[in-house]
Amino acid sequence: MRILGGFTYRMVQHVVAALLCGLVAGAAMAQQQPVDPVARANQGVVGVITGMEGGTYARTGADLTILDSDTLRVLPALGKGSLQNLSDILYLRGVDIGFVQADALTYAKQHNMFPGLTQNIRYIAKLYDEEVHVLVRKDIMRLADLNGQRVNVDVTGSGSAMTAEILLDAYGIKAKVEHEKQVTGVQELRRGEIAGIIHVGGAPIPLFVDVPTDSGIHFLPLALNPTLAQTYLPGQFTHDMYPLLVPADAPVPTIAVGDVMAVYGWAPRTTRYNNVARFVDTFFSKFDQFQQPPRHPKWREVNLTAEVPGWTRFPSAQDWLVQHTTAGTAGTATQARFNDFLSQTHPGMNGAMTDAAKDALFQQFLAWDRQRSAAR
């Protein structure tokens, strides 16, 4: 029998066999150990900050849960308005995405509110437009009548408060601005304690739909001036939106602001970036589902390829759009309705029309599509 440094060859064989058995057993035990439940629960989670209860942000944000799968979990949370949402995206743990008015980025820059804002905020898509609601007492007939009057503009940091400041400044109105929640504002307005409220949201706003005809309050018409026209769009309130406040034959002109699905500018190849990239791919790929009942009707206004001046697109969103130039422009359902609109308004011109011309007609199409849907 051979001797190896004081050990017999057989003894060495036993030691090697024991070591091999230990390795195999260790591997088997590792395979049997359960996955860390905390790590598993947080895989693929994307936090989305939306808006206050009952508002358009909160309602459309809740629709995002249809994207949930084994690899993606969307967690919507109620927010406090566009400026606060920007802050939450930048600083609040667990928040990746937020709904923000398009004018919030410029406002925050002008007021030096958030260091590193330009580098750290991106956007996934332009969403729908939201109307500016100015609801006033019956004795208020012009915006200038709000000079020196008490006006509620929602809580500090909200998109409504921000836009109200911009609007009043643009027209030189010196109102006594208050920052109560709009539920309180409507109650005070109906009691005649304040002159009006200014609120930004996608019409119809449930809080205003139930205001009775004999309440003694009405919508104040708004028109764009050259300063506002650089950021805002023309809009209107119709009888279909607010049957108790707007006559069937007398729509009320107003202005509107675009909304943005903003996102933190995570570094590529990090876990949070990958989670958002998975969200983007799923959201864009399944966008048709957002345009079907019972999802919020505002989704029908969204054109995923629309650019937002002053904003930079999140890289994975830009890459997705480049790769799907013919298959996700505004969702298949919307595209079909848009083609129908073109065939009725510009017969025979669809194929010869430039992209710029189609984009210009898209806004006309949205109004036509809303009227057709209301007539059904």
Side-chain angles (χ1 to χ4, degrees):
M1 182 177 296
R2 296 179 61 189
I3 303 297
L4 300 174
F7 292 94
T8 65
Y9 183 72
R10 183 168 296 173
M11 292 171 64
V12 173
Q13 287 181 310
H14 284 306
V15 171
V16 172
L19 289 172
L20 290 174
C21 288
L23 290 172
V24 172
M29 290 179 62
Q31 292 178 353
Q32 294 173 0
Q33 288 182 352
V35 177
D36 179 4
V38 175
R40 181 174 58 190
N42 286 276
Q43 287 178 349
V45 173
V46 172
V48 182
I49 196 76
T50 62
M52 283 172 271
E53 184 178 4
T56 311
Y57 284 175
R59 294 160 65 198
T60 52
D63 289 339
L64 294 174
T65 57
I66 66 175
L67 304 178
D68 284 358
S69 67
D70 293 338
T71 58
L72 177 65
R73 176 83 183 277
V74 181
L75 293 181
L78 294 179
K80 295 182 178 180
S82 290
L83 292 175
Q84 184 62 51
N85 283 5
L86 278 179
S87 176
D88 291 345
I89 295 169
L90 289 168
Y91 307 126
L92 190 61
R93 290 190 181 98
V95 173
D96 300 284
I97 295 169
F99 288 17
V100 177
Q101 288 175 201
D103 55 355
L105 191 64
T106 300
Y107 182 91
K109 289 178 182 177
Q110 291 174 345
H111 290 74
N112 299 314
M113 298 182 66
F114 307 114
L117 178 65
T118 303
Q119 294 81 12
N120 294 324
I121 289 291
R122 298 289 181 263
Y123 80 102
I124 292 172
K126 179 186 180 297
L127 300 177
Y128 37 80
D129 295 326
E130 290 193 302
E131 291 79 14
V132 179
H133 299 68
V134 182
L135 199 58
V136 295
R137 289 188 320 235
K138 61 182 178 180
D139 59 303
I140 305 295
M141 303 305 296
R142 305 174 303 149
L143 199 63
D145 293 339
L146 294 177
N147 259 315
Q149 300 280 352
R150 294 174 59 193
V151 178
N152 193 67
V153 299
D154 213 343
V155 299
T156 302
S158 68
S160 294
M162 175 189 64
T163 300
E165 178 182 334
I166 295 171
L167 176 66
L168 294 174
D169 285 348
Y171 284 98
I173 307 300
K174 304 296 183 182
K176 297 177 180 178
V177 172
E178 300 181 2
H179 293 277
E180 299 290 342
K181 289 185 177 181
Q182 292 295 25
V183 172
T184 302
V186 171
Q187 294 172 348
E188 292 178 338
L189 180 60
R190 293 181 64 176
R191 292 195 296 263
E193 297 170 3
I194 62 176
I197 61 175
I198 300 176
H199 183 79
V200 179
I205 301 294
L207 183 62
F208 304 151
V209 169
D210 296 331
V211 174
T213 306
D214 60 357
S215 61
I217 57 181
H218 63 103
F219 284 122
L220 199 63
L222 294 179
L224 290 172
N225 67 13
T227 300
L228 293 173
Q230 298 177 29
T231 305
Y232 300 91
L233 304 167
Q236 67 175 2
F237 299 127
T238 66
H239 179 73
D240 294 322
M241 295 174 178
Y242 296 108
L244 299 181
L245 290 174
V246 180
D249 57 349
V252 180
T254 188
I255 63 176
V257 59
D259 286 317
V260 176
M261 184 181 286
V263 60
Y264 187 81
W266 298 110
R269 293 181 294 278
T270 60
T271 299
R272 299 290 286 273
Y273 181 94
N274 293 337
N275 288 347
V276 173
R278 188 178 297 112
F279 170 92
V280 168
D281 181 70
T282 309
F283 174 62
F284 283 8
S285 300
K286 295 185 175 181
F287 188 68
D288 284 353
Q289 297 182 25
F290 288 88
Q291 301 185 316
Q292 306 296 331
R295 311 303 163 199
H296 196 285
K298 276 290 184 180
W299 289 114
R300 293 163 62 92
E301 299 179 15
V302 177
N303 178 1
L304 294 178
T305 62
E307 301 288 338
V308 185
W311 290 72
T312 302
R313 186 99 64 171
F314 191 69
S316 70
Q318 183 64 34
D319 292 343
W320 195 98
L321 292 172
V322 169
Q323 295 168 14
H324 298 78
T325 53
T326 61
T329 56
T332 303
T334 300
Q335 191 64 51
R337 294 195 304 275
F338 184 41
N339 291 338
D340 189 14
F341 168 78
L342 288 179
S343 68
Q344 293 189 34
T345 59
H346 297 75
M349 292 294 293
N350 192 1
M353 194 172 293
T354 65
D355 291 341
K358 285 186 179 181
D359 288 342
L361 284 170
F362 191 77
Q363 293 302 320
Q364 295 181 31
F365 155 71
L366 292 178
W368 174 83
D369 193 40
R370 284 193 292 267
Q371 290 175 359
R372 188 179 67 164
S373 298
R376 289 175 178 173

